Amino acid sequence: MDSPRKPKLAVMKFASCDGCQLSLLDCEEELLAVAGAVDIANFPEASRAVVRGPYDLTLVEGSITTPHDAERIHAIRRNSKTLITIGACATSGGIQALRNFQNVQDFIPLVYARPEYIETLNKSTAIADHVPVDFQLRGCPINKEQLLEVLAAFLNGRKPLTPPHSVCLECKGRGAVCVMVASATLCLGPVTQAGCGALCPAYARGCYGCFGPMEAPNTVALSGRWTQLGASEAHLVRAFRSFNAGAEAFRKESEAHER
Ligand code: SF4
Ligand code: SF4
């Protein structure tokens, strides 16, 4: 008797640094189990062999920054039963969404010798701004254990279990000293979604917000505390404008401190 067909997996890239795709390759031992459970049909970062779609699951890394991207994502959505976005670029526009606060046309002649060949959009936007998305996995880069959880959930037909709470819970869970309390170091942990294991606070640094806003973040209260600790308005703008500058809660908080 024929064994059942394995689900076909595709991994697609838009504007990004490839770091989130590398998190999948970084799974090493678990990657063999993944390869046994799914047919890795289209993953240019890993192999030149391509099996045509439609795909059962497509992981999408990167943000939409060009007119061609904006068309291609619709074709990918039509060709995918389930579409999951991975990483800050795909879920909030990434660091390249800093362009959203300026006029990108002003930068092009400064960077490119022949600006007439550059076709770009004014904004870098998340995949979900263009097509329906079944699940969004946050992080810059994503956490590989969370990625494996997403894949296991897909294979078992259930919702992935990723924490909606803040980095502070992870920080206390690993017994790290609170850098904001102990040394007045500015930390975005109270408004940032867990996922990194509170890596920066564990090394006595403030959180940089790599995993984007947690569920219902109180950014106003955190900005107030930062101000008490001496942060300027410009400092607050910069803090909320990094890897997840385009995420709504962080975008709004940065705009509230812009002069
Ligand atoms: S989210 Fe970060 S690690 Fe992932 S592709 Fe974008 S820049 Fe790279
Ligand atoms: S160091 Fe940052 S993440 Fe850790 S408990 Fe303090 S505020 Fe929260």
Side-chain angles (χ1 to χ4, degrees), residues 166-172 176-182 185-192 198 200-202 204-207 222 226:
S166 75
V167 172
C168 290
L169 263 73
E170 290 187 308
C171 191
K172 295 301 95 192
V177 170
C178 177
V179 295
M180 207 142 66
V181 171
T185 300
L186 303 176
C187 179
L188 283 175
V191 296
T192 300
C200 289
R205 303 193 313 175
C207 165
L222 184 65
W226 276 38

Side-chain angles (χ1 to χ4, degrees), residues 16-20 61 87-89 139-142:
S16 60
C17 80
D18 290 25
C20 289
E61 176 197 82
C89 297
C140 181
I142 54 171

Side-chain angles (χ1 to χ4, degrees), residues 47-96:
S47 167
R48 278 183 297 173
V50 172
V51 178
R52 289 164 66 95
Y55 304 110
D56 297 291
L57 171 62
T58 301
L59 302 177
V60 178
E61 176 197 82
S63 67
I64 302 297
T65 58
T66 67
H68 178 247
D69 287 349
E71 285 178 18
R72 188 164 72 96
I73 190 58
H74 284 278
I76 289 172
R77 177 67 269 193
R78 284 194 296 275
N79 219 13
S80 309
K81 273 193 203 154
T82 299
L83 188 150
I84 293 177
T85 50
I86 56 170
C89 297
T91 60
S92 73
I95 195 76
Q96 57 273 30

Side-chain angles (χ1 to χ4, degrees), residues 31-147:
L31 193 57
L32 290 176
V34 171
V38 299
D39 176 10
I40 300 178
N42 188 343
F43 188 4
E45 180 91 14
S47 167
R48 278 183 297 173
V50 172
V51 178
R52 289 164 66 95
Y55 304 110
D56 297 291
L57 171 62
T58 301
L59 302 177
V60 178
E61 176 197 82
S63 67
I64 302 297
T65 58
T66 67
H68 178 247
D69 287 349
E71 285 178 18
R72 188 164 72 96
I73 190 58
H74 284 278
I76 289 172
R77 177 67 269 193
R78 284 194 296 275
N79 219 13
S80 309
K81 273 193 203 154
T82 299
L83 188 150
I84 293 177
T85 50
I86 56 170
C89 297
T91 60
S92 73
I95 195 76
Q96 57 273 30
L98 290 176
R99 69 162 71 178
N100 301 3
F101 303 94
Q102 303 290 335
N103 180 1
V104 74
Q105 300 305 325
D106 293 342
F107 300 133
I108 294 172
L110 303 176
V111 175
Y112 297 99
R114 302 295 299 270
E116 63 271 28
Y117 292 125
I118 303 301
E119 209 182 5
T120 189
L121 297 172
N122 276 332
K123 293 196 171 181
S124 168
T125 45
I127 300 298
D129 290 352
H130 298 264
V131 295
V133 166
D134 296 293
F135 186 77
Q136 308 206 72
L137 186 62
R138 307 272 208 77
C140 181
I142 54 171
N143 171 312
K144 73 175 187 179
E145 273 81 32
Q146 288 193 346
L147 177 61

